[in-house]
């Protein structure tokens, strides 16, 4: 997993601070991040930054992981379609 996801961090407290730190360390824009969490309050915090939040009320499952990646792809495809002249 470390080769695919080299940044694995677990923070207590503010997820906004957590994601600001991740953005600073990685240079990855918020719009290219996905956050899976079981607390909707945490998801609300990071969504205000532009992070895609996926609710995992009973933990992360394969279905939720795949659904999160699908949702991310749909958002990117939609953004591409609205900014590209054909």
């Amino acid at each position: 997993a470390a080769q695919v996801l080299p940044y694995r961090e677990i923070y207590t407290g503010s997820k906004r601070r957590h994601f600001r730190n991740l953005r600073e360390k990685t240079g990855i824009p918020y719009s290219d991040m996905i956050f899976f969490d079981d607390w909707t309050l945490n998801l609300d915090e990071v969504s205000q930054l532009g992070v895609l939040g996926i609710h995992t009320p009973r933990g992360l499952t394969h279905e939720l992981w795949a659904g999160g990646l699908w949702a991310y792809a749909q958002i990117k495809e939609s953004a591409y379609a609205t900014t590209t002249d054909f």
Side-chain angles (χ1 to χ4, degrees):
Q3 293 118 351
V4 177
L5 305 168
Y7 296 96
R8 181 175 177 230
E9 300 195 23
I10 299 174
Y11 278 69
T12 57
S14 171
K15 297 304 176 190
R16 291 177 73 93
R17 182 174 51 90
H18 179 175
F19 275 82
R20 283 187 184 122
N21 288 341
L22 279 172
R23 189 191 64 199
E24 288 174 16
K25 287 181 180 181
T26 65
I28 297 170
Y30 294 130
S31 62
D32 286 339
M33 295 182 184
I34 308 173
F35 178 52
F36 297 86
D37 199 79
D38 60 340
W39 285 28
T40 56
L41 179 62
N42 290 338
L43 296 169
D44 291 343
E45 272 194 357
V46 299
S47 70
Q48 293 173 14
L49 298 172
V51 175
L52 173 61
I54 305 297
H55 188 224
T56 60
R58 292 176 203 85
L60 184 59
T61 63
H62 180 268
E63 290 79 15
L64 289 171
W65 175 259
L69 296 180
W70 181 85
Y72 175 82
Q74 294 300 305
I75 290 167
K76 291 300 176 178
E77 183 177 300
S78 175
Y80 177 77
T82 60
T83 60
T84 305
D85 294 328
F86 292 102

